[in-house]
């Protein structure tokens, strides 16, 4: 009888240990939202389209024979970006970081839509070494566009929020965009 009881307990403990080891997650705990910080940022993105040193380049393009939207960049074009972030719109403004990422032209209509993934990395000041990740659709013909902040690193770890982007200057060689970013982070 005692032997049966011991074997039963061993079996129960074994089954319990198997069930604990088979979980891929831990218990969920509520987090204190009062620990969250809200940071507002304002800066300018400087993009050079055509020059001897562009900050955007086409890296892939579909083999499409028609181009109904009369764009120089047809549907499904993939772009790589390494834009400069500055305090102001002037070319001699202080550089505070760069925006690196990928963009895909996703709409072949009268409204050009781009799907952007950007990582805004800061190289000076309080946020030196930190970055904000954005992933969002960017309807380029809208005057003010809203982009989603989906993450970050460094001081912006676990970031979420949004950015409002508006073209400040746009010509054949440059696009300078003004960004207002609101970030919630811990």
């Amino acid at each position: 009888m005692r032997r049966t009881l011991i074997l039963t307990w061993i079996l129960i403990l074994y089954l319990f240990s198997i069930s604990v080891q088979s979980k891929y997650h831990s218990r969920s705990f509520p987090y204190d939202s009062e620990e969250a910080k809200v940071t507002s940022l304002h800066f300018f993105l400087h993009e050079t389209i055509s020059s001897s040193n562009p900050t955007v380049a086409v890296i892939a393009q579909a083999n499409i024979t028609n181009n109904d939207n009369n764009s120089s960049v047809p549907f499904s074009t993939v772009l790589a970006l390494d834009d400069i972030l500055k305090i102001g719109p002037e070319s001699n403004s202080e550089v505070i970081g760069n925006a690196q990422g990928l963009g895909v032209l996703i709409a072949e209509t009268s409204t050009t839509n781009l799907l952007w993934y950007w990582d805004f990395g800061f190289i000076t000041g309080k946020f030196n070494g930190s970055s904000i990740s954005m992933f969002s659709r960017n309807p380029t013909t809208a005057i003010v566009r809203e982009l989603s902040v989906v993450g970050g690193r460094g001081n912006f770890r676990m970031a979420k929020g949004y950015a409002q982007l508006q073209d400040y200057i746009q010509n054949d060689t440059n696009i300078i965009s003004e960004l207002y970013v609101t970030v919630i982070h811990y």
Side-chain angles (χ1 to χ4, degrees):
M1 176 75 159
R2 184 173 177 188
R3 189 173 188 192
T4 305
L5 186 59
I6 291 173
L7 287 174
T8 303
W9 275 109
I10 291 173
L11 181 61
I12 289 171
L13 291 173
Y14 175 73
L15 291 174
F16 178 76
S17 70
I18 290 175
S19 69
V20 170
Q21 291 175 1
S22 67
K23 291 185 180 179
Y24 67 93
H25 60 85
S26 65
R27 255 181 48 190
S28 297
F29 295 101
Y31 68 92
D32 187 3
S33 61
E34 292 179 16
E35 291 180 19
K37 296 175 232 151
V38 178
T39 300
S40 296
L41 303 168
H42 176 238
F43 52 85
F44 290 82
L45 182 136
H46 292 247
E47 185 170 283
T48 304
I49 301 167
S50 60
S51 75
S52 60
N53 193 18
T55 62
V56 61
V58 174
I59 57 172
Q61 199 167 28
N63 188 10
I64 299 174
T65 55
N66 77 352
N67 187 8
D68 294 334
N69 66 354
N70 296 318
S71 171
S72 61
V73 183
F75 172 74
S76 74
T77 299
V78 179
L79 307 163
L81 303 118
D82 189 7
D83 297 334
I84 306 298
L85 302 178
K86 295 185 177 187
I87 294 286
E90 301 82 16
S91 60
N92 63 349
S93 291
E94 178 188 354
V95 174
I96 59 168
N98 63 346
Q100 296 176 323
L102 295 171
V104 180
L105 186 66
I106 57 172
E108 191 172 20
T109 63
S110 60
T111 302
T112 302
N113 286 313
L114 294 161
L115 181 64
W116 286 123
Y117 164 73
W118 265 330
D119 186 77
F120 289 79
F122 298 97
I123 59 170
T124 63
K126 179 180 178 181
F127 301 116
N128 184 14
S130 300
S131 71
I132 298 168
S133 298
M134 292 187 203
F135 184 79
S136 201
R137 191 181 80 150
N138 182 6
T140 59
T141 55
I143 294 172
V144 177
R145 283 111 52 204
E146 190 168 289
L147 306 172
S148 301
V149 174
V150 297
R153 62 184 173 80
N155 288 329
F156 295 117
R157 191 173 291 125
M158 295 181 62
K160 61 183 175 180
Y162 70 96
Q164 289 187 320
L165 174 122
Q166 181 173 358
D167 290 340
Y168 187 82
I169 296 172
Q170 184 173 2
N171 57 40
D172 292 339
T173 58
N174 297 302
I175 298 174
I176 298 174
S177 301
E178 185 174 19
L179 282 94
Y180 289 93
V181 185
T182 301
V183 183
I184 300 169
H185 57 100
Y186 299 90

